[in-house]
Amino acid sequence: MNGKKVMKLALQNMPAFMEELLASKGMSVETMDLIIPHQASHLGMAHMSKRIGVDPSRIVDIYSTHGNQVAASIPTALHEALASGRLQPGKRALLIGTAAGLSIGGMVMDF
Protein backbone atom coordinates (compact mmCIF):
# COMPACT_ATOMS: atom_id res chain seq x y z
CA MET A 1 0.00 0.00 0.00
CA ASN A 2 1.20 3.50 -0.82
CA GLY A 3 0.18 5.33 2.37
CA LYS A 4 0.76 8.86 1.06
CA LYS A 5 -1.22 8.20 -2.09
CA VAL A 6 -4.12 6.64 -0.16
CA MET A 7 -4.18 9.53 2.34
CA LYS A 8 -4.26 12.06 -0.51
CA LEU A 9 -7.11 10.14 -2.17
CA ALA A 10 -9.03 9.95 1.12
CA LEU A 11 -8.62 13.68 1.74
CA GLN A 12 -9.83 14.46 -1.79
CA ASN A 13 -12.95 12.28 -1.49
CA MET A 14 -13.89 12.51 2.20
CA PRO A 15 -15.64 15.92 2.18
CA ALA A 16 -17.99 14.99 -0.68
CA PHE A 17 -18.67 11.56 0.81
CA MET A 18 -19.54 13.07 4.20
CA GLU A 19 -21.72 15.75 2.64
CA GLU A 20 -23.66 13.19 0.57
CA LEU A 21 -24.04 10.80 3.51
CA LEU A 22 -25.33 13.49 5.85
CA ALA A 23 -27.46 15.31 3.26
CA SER A 24 -29.30 12.06 2.49
CA LYS A 25 -30.68 12.26 6.05
CA GLY A 26 -31.20 16.04 6.15
CA MET A 27 -28.07 16.55 8.24
CA SER A 28 -24.75 18.34 7.85
CA VAL A 29 -21.37 18.19 9.53
CA GLU A 30 -22.48 21.20 11.60
CA THR A 31 -25.27 19.10 13.16
CA MET A 32 -22.76 16.54 14.48
CA ASP A 33 -21.67 16.96 18.09
CA LEU A 34 -18.65 14.72 17.58
CA ILE A 35 -16.80 13.14 14.70
CA ILE A 36 -15.16 9.79 15.37
CA PRO A 37 -12.82 8.94 12.49
CA HIS A 38 -10.57 6.05 11.58
CA GLN A 39 -7.16 7.12 12.86
CA ALA A 40 -4.28 5.90 10.73
CA SER A 41 -2.00 8.89 11.33
CA HIS A 42 -1.80 12.12 13.30
CA LEU A 43 -1.03 14.03 10.11
CA GLY A 44 -4.10 12.55 8.42
CA MET A 45 -6.28 13.62 11.34
CA ALA A 46 -4.99 17.21 11.15
CA HIS A 47 -5.50 17.39 7.39
CA MET A 48 -9.00 15.91 7.64
CA SER A 49 -10.04 18.48 10.24
CA LYS A 50 -8.93 21.31 7.96
CA ARG A 51 -10.35 19.73 4.81
CA ILE A 52 -13.86 19.27 6.22
CA GLY A 53 -13.77 22.58 8.11
CA VAL A 54 -14.37 21.14 11.58
CA ASP A 55 -12.83 22.48 14.76
CA PRO A 56 -10.42 19.82 16.09
CA SER A 57 -12.20 19.91 19.47
CA ARG A 58 -15.19 18.18 17.83
CA ILE A 59 -13.03 15.29 16.62
CA VAL A 60 -12.30 12.41 18.98
CA ASP A 61 -8.55 12.00 18.51
CA ILE A 62 -6.94 9.07 20.30
CA TYR A 63 -3.97 8.68 17.98
CA SER A 64 -1.46 10.19 20.42
CA THR A 65 -2.43 7.74 23.18
CA HIS A 66 -3.29 4.63 21.15
CA GLY A 67 -1.40 4.91 17.87
CA ASN A 68 -2.60 3.34 14.63
CA GLN A 69 -4.99 0.58 15.65
CA VAL A 70 -6.20 0.00 12.09
CA ALA A 71 -9.94 -0.86 12.22
CA ALA A 72 -10.03 -0.81 16.04
CA SER A 73 -9.52 2.97 16.18
CA ILE A 74 -13.22 3.76 15.63
CA PRO A 75 -14.60 1.53 18.41
CA THR A 76 -11.77 2.60 20.73
CA ALA A 77 -12.45 6.29 20.06
CA LEU A 78 -16.19 5.68 20.53
CA HIS A 79 -15.46 4.08 23.90
CA GLU A 80 -13.22 6.99 24.90
CA ALA A 81 -15.93 9.50 23.95
CA LEU A 82 -18.52 7.64 26.04
CA ALA A 83 -16.21 6.99 29.01
CA SER A 84 -15.03 10.62 29.13
CA GLY A 85 -18.57 12.01 28.97
CA ARG A 86 -18.03 13.76 25.63
CA LEU A 87 -20.79 11.61 24.16
CA GLN A 88 -23.99 11.57 26.19
CA PRO A 89 -27.71 11.06 25.62
CA GLY A 90 -29.05 13.64 23.20
CA LYS A 91 -25.74 13.92 21.34
CA ARG A 92 -25.03 12.85 17.77
CA ALA A 93 -21.79 11.39 16.40
CA LEU A 94 -20.53 10.72 12.91
CA LEU A 95 -18.37 7.61 12.65
CA ILE A 96 -16.29 7.71 9.48
CA GLY A 97 -13.57 5.48 8.15
CA THR A 98 -11.40 4.61 5.22
CA ALA A 99 -9.65 1.44 4.17
CA ALA A 100 -6.72 0.70 1.93
CA GLY A 101 -7.55 0.66 -1.67
CA LEU A 102 -9.76 3.22 -0.99
CA SER A 103 -13.11 2.46 0.57
CA ILE A 104 -15.00 5.05 2.61
CA GLY A 105 -17.80 4.27 5.02
CA GLY A 106 -19.74 6.20 7.61
CA MET A 107 -22.71 6.20 9.91
CA VAL A 108 -24.49 8.59 12.27
CA MET A 109 -25.32 7.52 15.80
CA ASP A 110 -27.81 9.34 18.01
CA PHE A 111 -27.33 8.79 21.73
Side-chain angles (χ1 to χ4, degrees):
M1 180 178 93
N2 183 331
K4 285 183 182 182
K5 202 174 213 179
V6 171
M7 184 172 87
K8 192 181 263 188
L9 189 58
L11 291 170
Q12 288 171 348
N13 290 286
M14 185 68 72
F17 175 84
M18 289 174 61
E19 185 177 323
E20 184 177 333
L21 171 70
L22 295 170
S24 73
K25 301 299 177 194
M27 301 174 186
S28 69
V29 73
E30 290 80 23
T31 64
M32 299 297 112
D33 294 299
L34 288 177
I35 298 173
I36 301 174
H38 167 73
Q39 303 183 26
S41 76
H42 183 67
L43 183 60
M45 298 281 290
H47 284 302
M48 185 191 71
S49 174
K50 288 179 187 173
R51 190 78 173 202
I52 63 173
V54 173
D55 188 284
S57 67
R58 291 181 44 218
I59 297 175
V60 180
D61 184 350
I62 60 164
Y63 190 82
S64 65
T65 56
H66 291 78
N68 181 353
Q69 297 181 318
V70 192
S73 64
I74 292 175
T76 302
L78 178 59
H79 168 77
E80 290 291 325
L82 290 165
S84 69
R86 289 181 70 189
L87 198 51
Q88 303 172 9
K91 299 282 185 177
R92 179 177 285 161
L94 170 65
L95 283 63
I96 190 91
T98 60
L102 175 75
S103 299
I104 303 175
M107 68 183 285
V108 174
M109 296 181 76
D110 286 319
F111 289 84

